[in-house]
Amino acid sequence: MAILNRLLRKKCLTVQLISVLIYFMYRHFNFEDETILPPVESITVPSLQNEKRTKQKDDTDNRCNRAKQKFMFVKNGKTGSSTIESIILQIATHHHKHEIVHTRGSYKSLKNEREEIGYFIPVEHQMLKPLNHFQKLFPKSKYLWIASSRKVEDQINSAVRWRNYERKFKGKRFNKTLVKAFKNESSSELEQAFFSDAMSYYLLGSCHHYSFPEFEICASEIMENMDLVIPREKFDESMVILHKITCLPLSDFAYIQMKRTTSDFKLSEENMKTILNYHKKDLWFEQKANEKFDQFFSTFQAEYCFSQNCSREVAQLREENEKLKIACKVIERRTRKRKHLVEFSFDTEMLKKDSKLGLRCLSFSLSVHSDFLLDLYNEVLRETGHDGNLFADELAGKWIRKLNNLNLTFI
């Protein structure tokens, strides 16, 4: 016991030594109950965390078996819609399972039983009308219906910058532009569109001829049918949503922004207020789109994400974006004819060596001037079927040759 007392006085006594001493005391004093409890490590305790993970995996497997991976997309102006189209094209080239419908009016000839159609990518803006027609062509049981929105003020400023119309919307020139638009003397349809609810027109255009109370009823029905309306301000969060609900790889939703201007022009507060008087339906659309997204996202993040507002998943997506941009070796320079725009191009010789990478990169050259990329996609898909390597080699070769022949700039 004297030895024990001296040991206990030492402040640096370790936990392991205490355990040994307690065991020694039990043995030395010969307690009636000499049963020694097994070490804690040997006791098997069910892990609630493991149970939760197992349940989550089972739920994910069941959900993915039912996941929809076909897209019907409605393109709205200056809302990031071209980037969304390119992402869908990237998905199409990666999985090469379904054909694409895109040309104006071509969707009218579709039939419900055509299983090979998987994507509606309206490179040229096309109004969604009538709703029941699209429900037959792209049934909600098989297709995800998506569209895009943006803060109306930002959408208008972006359109002005993109068309290099800053001078026409500055100071007193603004009033002249407004007068010309109302007299239909404007030199550009886009100028007129600034005063005619341009952003919501392509999604809600079939309701625009109604007065506002009837418009709300009609437009609400369309909004209810949309699975996801992507706010430009929540673009990355929306890509995470699509990644999770489709069960497609996160890399399928990585993107390169291929449209950028050097201008930082913004309409004056007074002039913006004047324009917004003619965007009552756009403002309604923006509000409803945000409400729809926020309501959905509040539930979504709790079920699908491991971080508040899916911040961890968004960070992972942005890493994928950067990896894609580096892999594609994107080249940026000012355009000659339209100096306010930034021109993007790729190292085509490098892309020829890796056809699958080539398809990913060149998907982001999609524009109204290069919609032939979609026709070539359908053509090669019919010829090669689901042979991945043959499909990639054939399509990448045709895309590169066609783009080089036309000497297109990717903007």
Side-chain angles (χ1 to χ4, degrees):
M1 291 302 295
I3 296 173
L4 177 61
N5 289 334
R6 284 199 300 270
L7 288 173
L8 290 175
R9 291 192 194 101
K10 292 188 177 182
K11 296 180 180 179
C12 60
L13 192 62
T14 62
V15 174
Q16 289 87 347
L17 184 55
I18 293 173
S19 300
V20 172
L21 290 171
I22 292 173
Y23 173 75
F24 172 76
M25 291 171 65
Y26 269 95
R27 299 292 295 174
H28 180 75
F29 291 104
N30 194 25
F31 290 143
E32 290 182 5
D33 184 4
E34 292 189 350
T35 304
I36 305 300
L37 294 175
V40 173
E41 298 89 286
S42 68
I43 301 175
T44 304
V45 179
S47 170
L48 296 177
Q49 189 175 11
N50 288 339
E51 286 185 358
K52 182 178 180 181
R53 288 178 179 173
T54 302
K55 183 179 185 301
Q56 188 177 49
K57 184 180 185 300
D58 292 341
D59 291 344
T60 300
D61 290 342
N62 292 332
R63 185 177 67 246
C64 289
N65 290 334
R66 303 188 303 271
K68 292 183 284 187
Q69 297 179 344
K70 296 182 176 183
F71 295 90
M72 193 283 288
F73 177 58
V74 179
K75 182 174 183 177
N76 291 321
K78 310 313 299 176
T79 59
S81 54
S82 294
T83 302
I84 297 172
E85 287 182 322
S86 292
I87 289 171
I88 297 174
L89 180 55
Q90 178 182 220
I91 291 170
T93 59
H94 179 194
H95 300 281
H96 48 84
K97 291 181 179 179
H98 310 296
E99 292 185 20
I100 299 169
V101 175
H102 72 98
T103 52
R104 188 180 297 276
S106 65
Y107 55 84
K108 293 181 180 179
S109 62
L110 287 174
K111 294 182 180 179
N112 225 16
E113 63 268 21
R114 287 193 62 185
E115 289 292 331
E116 65 269 24
I117 300 299
Y119 313 101
F120 179 53
I121 306 178
V123 183
E124 293 187 23
H125 293 87
Q126 299 178 35
M127 186 169 70
L128 177 66
K129 68 170 188 180
L131 180 61
N132 61 357
H133 181 64
F134 275 77
Q135 287 171 330
K136 291 178 181 178
L137 297 180
F138 307 102
K140 295 299 302 299
S141 60
K142 299 178 181 178
Y143 289 83
L144 279 171
W145 283 31
I146 60 176
S148 52
S149 67
R150 191 175 186 178
K151 187 176 181 180
V152 179
E153 293 93 324
D154 292 343
Q155 186 264 347
I156 292 171
N157 281 324
S158 177
V160 173
R161 292 192 296 265
W162 181 249
R163 289 293 180 179
N164 199 23
Y165 284 159
E166 289 94 329
R167 287 190 307 164
K168 296 183 180 182
F169 286 84
K170 282 183 179 178
K172 294 181 180 179
R173 282 180 172 264
F174 173 84
N175 293 328
K176 293 180 180 179
T177 302
L178 181 63
V179 169
K180 286 183 178 181
F182 278 117
K183 289 184 177 180
N184 292 322
E185 295 176 0
S186 174
S187 60
S188 167
E189 292 181 2
L190 187 60
E191 287 180 40
Q192 296 177 38
F194 292 143
F195 312 104
S196 59
D197 292 300
M199 182 170 64
S200 63
Y201 178 75
Y202 298 102
L203 178 61
L204 307 177
S206 58
C207 306
H208 271 219
H209 63 281
Y210 292 119
S211 61
F212 201 79
E214 289 78 15
F215 164 81
E216 286 187 285
I217 296 172
C218 175
S220 294
E221 182 183 2
I222 294 176
M223 293 293 285
E224 287 173 6
N225 274 273
M226 302 307 298
D227 294 296
L228 183 66
V229 178
I230 299 170
R232 183 67 184 83
E233 299 76 17
K234 299 288 185 181
F235 194 90
D236 287 347
E237 290 85 349
S238 299
M239 294 305 103
V240 169
I241 290 173
L242 291 176
H243 154 58
K244 295 288 188 178
I245 65 177
T246 61
C247 296
L248 294 172
L250 181 63
S251 57
D252 278 353
F253 297 93
Y255 61 91
I256 307 170
Q257 289 182 297
M258 302 296 282
K259 290 187 177 182
R260 186 159 62 83
T261 71
T262 58
S263 171
D264 59 357
F265 170 81
K266 290 184 180 180
L267 283 163
S268 69
E269 186 177 343
E270 180 182 358
N271 289 344
M272 179 61 75
K273 186 176 180 180
T274 299
I275 285 189
L276 291 180
N277 288 329
Y278 306 99
H279 283 262
K280 189 176 181 181
K281 293 172 182 175
D282 270 356
L283 290 168
W284 181 93
F285 170 56
E286 178 199 341
Q287 178 184 347
K288 292 299 179 183
N290 288 338
E291 288 176 356
K292 184 180 180 72
F293 180 88
D294 290 342
Q295 183 179 6
F296 175 82
F297 191 64
S298 63
T299 303
F300 170 87
Q301 63 170 317
E303 182 177 352
Y304 289 84
C305 293
F306 293 97
S307 55
Q308 184 67 21
N309 294 326
C310 300
S311 57
R312 185 191 302 179
E313 288 76 10
V314 166
Q316 291 171 344
L317 173 66
R318 290 173 180 170
E319 288 177 6
E320 292 292 335
N321 292 347
E322 192 60 26
K323 287 193 293 185
L324 180 60
K325 187 174 182 179
I326 292 171
C328 293
K329 295 185 178 179
V330 177
I331 304 166
E332 300 182 10
R333 58 180 177 269
R334 295 281 187 93
T335 60
R336 293 181 179 180
K337 294 182 179 179
R338 303 172 70 184
K339 294 182 180 180
H340 65 295
L341 298 181
V342 178
E343 180 184 74
F344 298 84
S345 61
F346 305 106
D347 181 347
T348 53
E349 291 304 315
M350 178 201 71
L351 298 184
K352 287 178 182 178
K353 299 175 183 177
D354 188 340
S355 56
K356 291 183 179 179
L357 176 62
L359 293 182
R360 290 195 69 193
C361 301
L362 294 176
S363 292
F364 293 91
S365 64
L366 181 63
S367 72
V368 67
H369 303 295
S370 60
D371 58 359
F372 59 81
L373 297 178
L374 305 181
D375 292 325
L376 289 173
Y377 165 87
N378 288 337
E379 176 185 305
V380 173
L381 183 63
R382 295 185 194 113
E383 292 173 353
T384 61
H386 301 302
D387 186 327
N389 291 328
L390 180 60
F391 169 83
D393 291 341
E394 286 288 322
L395 184 58
K398 288 188 176 184
W399 275 10
I400 291 171
R401 287 193 297 273
K402 192 71 172 178
L403 289 169
N404 281 343
N405 290 341
L406 292 181
N407 194 29
L408 288 177
T409 56
F410 309 141
I411 55 175

